[in-house]
Amino acid sequence: MSLLDFVLQTTKKYIEQMPKSQRKKYGQFFTSKETAVFMAELFEVPVDKEQLHILDAGAGSGILSVALIEKLQRTPQLRHIHLVCYENDPQIIELLRANLQWVCQHSTLRVDYEIREDNYILSQVLEYNGMLGAEPNPLKYDMVIGNPPYMKIAKDAPEAKAMPDICYGAPNLYFLFAAMGMFDLCPNGELVYIIPRSWTSGAYFKKFRQKFLKDGILEHIHLFVSRDKVFENESVLQETMIIKVRKATVIPENVVITTTQSNKDFFNKTTFKAAYNTVVSGEDKYVYLVTNEQEVETLELLNRWSNTLPSIGLKMKTGLTVDFRNREALRDASENHAVPLFYSQHIQDGKVVFPIGKEHEYIVTNQASLLQPNVNYLFVKRFTAKEEHRRLQCGVYLARKYPDYSKISTQNKINFISGLKELSECIVYGLYVLFNSTLYDCYYRILNGSTQVNSTEINSMPVPPLESIEQMGKALIKSRDMTEARCDKILRSFIYEQNRGSKRDTKRVASAS
C-alpha cells in the first residue's frame, strides 16, 4: 500500500465516525487523493539540496504532507525531510500522529516530523510583526503546502489583530494562513494552497493581495469549473482554486493557468499561459482568471479605457433594504404612504416590471436610509446561479413610469447605478448596453469567480466616457431591441470607431465579442 493510500484509508474511517458539524467548527474539509497528488506535483524540487524543510499549517490527517513526501521519494539526491505540522483540533491529533509514524517507518526517505498543537497564526505574532521577544532565527521552509481552514472570524479576533497589515473588516482564516505561509518560506521557496477564489478582487482582500503579491510571484493557478466537485465527499459548495506561489520578486513572463471540471479529471486539464501583467494587474493587484486568448483580448479591449463609473460621476451601490430585518415595514399591496420595494424578480428582459403580485413589494417607512429618490437607475441583480448564461443581468428603471412616487426602495439583493446628478434616460440605456453586452459579462467573470455581483468590482471596471455611453443609449433606444446581440453590436461598432485604422484591432473586437 502506498503512503498516501494508507492515510486516505484511515481518514475515511475518521470522517465516517466524526459528524460534519463537529469538523466545521475548525473549518475542516479533507482534500481528495487526486487533488493532493496534483498539488504535490506542482512543487519544483531544488536540485542542490539533500534535506528539505516542509510546513503543513492545517495538517488535518496529513493527506497533503504525505502526498508531497510520496512525490519527493522519487528525487534521487534527496536524503532527509523535516516536516512541521500545525494542527489544533484535539479530535484529529492522534490520527495525524499515527499516520506520520507509519509514514516515517515505511518511507524510502528519512523523515522526521514535529506536530505543533498551537494556533498557527497566534504562535508567530512576535516574529510576523518584528516585535520584542521574537525568535531571532525562526525556521524557514523550502515548501509550504496547505488546505487552510475556511472560516470567517471577527474583526477584533486575536488572529485578525495579529496580522493588522492585511486585515480589513472581518477576515477569513484562509487568507491569514496564506499570508503567514508566505512569511514562513525561505527565499525562493514555494507555497501550494487550495483556497477560495474570493481573494482575487475587491476591497476586502486588497491589503492581503498587495502584500502577498509583493512578497511572492504567482506561477500557477488551477481552476475548477464545477464548484460542488472539489470537496465532493464533504458537500461543500465553494468557488475554489489551487495556487502555486514562489517567494521571489523577479516577475516571470507568464502564469500557467490550468482548468478541470472537477477534482477527478486532472488527466484531462486544459492549459493556458497568460502574460503575468495581464493576470496580476493594477495597484490593487487584482488577479484576472483568464483561461483562453479570447478572455485576454476582452481585458485588453476594455482596459484601454481609463475611466471608471466613479470617475465619470456614477456609482454602483447595493440595494438599501434588508427585507427580513424590516418585516414590520413590508406590505403586500399598495396603501397610504407605501412606496415600491424592488427585488431582483422585477428585472425582466432588460426592463423593470412592477408590480408583479409578489409578496412584500411595498414598504412603509420613515427611515431615510431605506429610501432613495424616484429617479432613473440601472438595476443589476446581485445573485445569479452559476449555470446561468449571464452573470450580469440588468434592467432599465425609468422614474416617469411611476409618477405617483417621490421615493422608492431597493432590496439588498439588487444593485443600482445612480449619479451625482440625475441620469438621463439615454445614459441609463447606454449603461444597459455596457452591462448587457457579452464583453462586460466576460470581463466580470474573469474579474470575479463567484456568482455574486459586487459593487466594488463593478466600480473598478473600465468604462467609456459619459458622452459615449449616452450615444450608445440613443442607438439602443432607436433600435427598440434590448437583446444581448444588439448591445454587442452597438458596443462593437463604438470600439471599432475608436480603433479604426488598425486591422488587427478590428479583427480582435469581432472575435472578443
Side-chain angles (χ1 to χ4, degrees):
M1 182 183 291
S2 74
L3 303 181
L4 184 55
D5 283 333
F6 174 83
V7 173
L8 288 164
Q9 192 178 80
T10 60
T11 304
K12 186 168 183 283
K13 289 177 185 171
Y14 169 84
I15 290 173
E16 285 167 357
Q17 55 88 35
M18 182 62 63
K20 186 181 168 188
S21 58
Q22 181 71 30
R23 293 186 284 112
K24 201 172 178 183
K25 277 197 230 171
Y26 294 88
Q28 189 184 79
F29 300 105
F30 292 99
T31 319
S32 72
K33 177 180 181 178
E34 294 83 356
T35 305
V37 170
F38 178 79
M39 289 172 68
E41 290 299 329
L42 289 176
F43 284 98
E44 194 177 308
V45 186
V47 293
D48 57 342
K49 291 190 175 182
E50 292 187 359
Q51 175 177 326
L52 292 177
H53 295 287
I54 297 171
L55 170 67
D56 186 345
S61 62
I63 292 171
L64 287 173
S65 298
V66 175
L68 184 52
I69 290 168
E70 199 159 84
K71 171 207 164 73
L72 294 173
Q73 286 186 145
R74 305 196 303 267
T75 307
Q77 84 278 6
L78 205 55
R79 298 285 177 267
H80 178 210
I81 290 170
H82 177 66
L83 171 67
V84 174
C85 290
Y86 278 84
E87 183 51 64
N88 65 350
D89 174 4
Q91 303 276 5
I92 204 170
I93 290 289
E94 288 313 309
L95 174 61
L96 175 62
R97 185 172 283 113
N99 283 342
L100 294 182
Q101 283 175 351
W102 192 90
V103 166
C104 288
Q105 291 163 5
H106 293 83
S107 174
T108 57
L109 292 165
R110 182 161 70 89
V111 178
D112 62 73
Y113 68 89
E114 184 184 341
I115 296 175
R116 298 183 182 176
E117 296 182 43
D118 292 338
N119 179 306
Y120 174 57
I121 303 298
L122 299 184
S123 68
Q124 302 185 85
V125 172
L126 300 181
E127 288 76 19
Y128 182 83
N129 292 290
M131 296 163 77
L132 201 63
E135 168 66 45
N137 295 302
L139 179 63
K140 296 293 181 181
Y141 300 89
D142 302 286
M143 297 175 175
V144 174
I145 193 165
N147 173 8
Y150 302 175
M151 197 160 60
K152 208 164 188 178
I153 57 173
K155 63 182 177 184
D156 57 353
E159 292 88 351
K161 288 182 172 179
M163 304 180 78
D165 57 338
I166 62 164
C167 287
Y168 173 86
N172 196 303
L173 278 177
Y174 85 78
F175 77 81
L176 300 189
F177 269 63
M180 192 64 86
M182 178 70 76
F183 172 75
D184 284 331
L185 280 174
C186 63
N188 215 42
E190 298 175 340
L191 174 147
V192 175
Y193 262 22
I194 179 165
I195 55 176
R197 288 166 64 154
S198 47
W199 68 279
T200 58
S201 62
Y204 183 74
F205 299 95
K206 176 181 169 182
K207 289 165 76 176
F208 163 68
R209 279 193 312 272
Q210 287 176 325
K211 181 171 175 57
F212 192 62
L213 297 174
K214 174 175 168 282
D215 296 344
I217 52 169
L218 263 176
E219 290 192 340
H220 194 121
I221 295 171
H222 182 81
L223 304 173
F224 299 96
V225 174
S226 177
R227 65 177 176 154
D228 60 349
K229 294 286 194 297
V230 181
F231 297 105
E232 60 187 343
N233 296 329
E234 303 278 23
S235 303
V236 176
L237 209 56
Q238 177 64 263
E239 299 283 352
T240 314
M241 69 195 302
I242 295 168
I243 55 169
K244 175 190 173 183
V245 184
R246 184 182 297 276
K247 191 163 187 174
T249 52
V250 178
I251 302 298
E253 189 177 342
N254 297 313
V255 181
V256 177
I257 301 175
T258 52
T259 309
T260 54
Q261 287 293 321
S262 70
N263 65 6
K264 289 279 196 282
D265 56 345
F266 288 104
F267 61 89
N268 195 30
K269 65 181 182 292
T270 64
T271 302
F272 180 68
K273 286 187 178 180
Y276 194 90
N277 292 332
T278 297
V279 177
V280 180
S281 183
E283 61 181 48
D284 287 357
K285 299 291 185 191
Y286 275 21
V287 176
Y288 292 89
L289 304 175
V290 289
T291 58
N292 55 52
E293 199 59 50
Q294 182 181 333
E295 291 176 348
V296 171
E297 289 175 357
T298 297
L299 289 184
E300 289 177 353
L301 282 170
L302 298 193
N303 281 341
R304 293 176 178 193
W305 290 322
S306 55
N307 294 311
T308 59
L309 289 176
S311 76
I312 59 173
L314 308 178
K315 196 170 188 181
M316 177 177 275
K317 300 174 185 175
T318 300
L320 308 180
T321 298
V322 181
D323 51 346
F324 67 84
R325 288 185 188 153
N326 296 278
R327 284 198 179 99
E328 73 292 340
L330 305 181
R331 303 288 186 272
D332 292 344
S334 182
E335 62 179 65
N336 283 343
H337 310 298
V339 302
L341 172 59
F342 291 96
Y343 295 77
S344 60
Q345 293 95 320
H346 291 112
I347 299 171
Q348 298 179 12
D349 298 322
K351 296 171 184 171
V352 175
V353 179
F354 183 92
I356 56 172
K358 182 191 182 307
E359 66 172 1
H360 302 155
E361 60 183 349
Y362 292 90
I363 186 168
V364 178
T365 182
N366 291 319
Q367 281 189 64
S369 62
L370 301 183
L371 297 171
Q372 60 201 88
N374 182 18
V375 294
N376 298 330
Y377 298 102
L378 183 74
F379 289 167
V380 183
K381 291 184 182 182
R382 268 187 77 199
F383 298 95
T384 54
K386 178 158 179 118
E387 297 71 28
E388 289 189 71
H389 167 60
R390 293 187 58 82
R391 186 70 65 243
L392 299 179
Q393 298 185 25
C394 47
V396 171
Y397 175 83
L398 300 179
R400 65 176 166 80
K401 294 193 173 182
Y402 307 94
D404 297 338
Y405 304 101
S406 61
K407 300 283 186 184
I408 63 167
S409 188
T410 43
Q411 194 229 13
N412 79 321
K413 289 184 180 169
I414 65 171
N415 297 313
F416 61 90
I417 298 177
S418 58
L420 297 173
K421 295 188 291 186
E422 190 174 334
L423 304 184
S424 72
E425 291 189 9
C426 289
I427 288 174
V428 176
Y429 275 101
L431 290 169
Y432 179 84
V433 170
L434 298 182
F435 291 100
N436 194 50
S437 70
T438 309
L439 275 178
Y440 269 80
D441 192 66
C442 179
Y443 191 104
Y444 188 79
R445 286 171 184 267
I446 297 164
L447 177 61
N448 184 313
S450 80
T451 54
Q452 183 172 332
V453 176
N454 294 316
S455 53
T456 305
E457 277 96 331
I458 295 290
N459 288 325
S460 74
M461 286 172 65
V463 295
L466 197 59
E467 313 80 65
S468 303
I469 294 174
E470 190 172 29
Q471 291 303 314
M472 284 190 264
K474 287 178 180 176
L476 186 66
I477 293 168
K478 190 177 178 182
S479 75
R480 296 174 176 271
D481 179 358
M482 302 289 281
T483 62
E484 183 178 352
R486 174 57 59 183
C487 293
D488 286 345
K489 191 170 184 181
I490 292 170
L491 180 58
R492 193 164 59 236
S493 63
F494 170 76
I495 297 174
Y496 173 77
E497 283 299 318
Q498 273 204 324
N499 298 321
R500 197 160 47 173
S502 168
K503 288 180 183 175
R504 180 170 176 265
D505 280 343
T506 305
K507 195 172 178 183
R508 290 165 68 217
V509 170
S511 68
S513 293

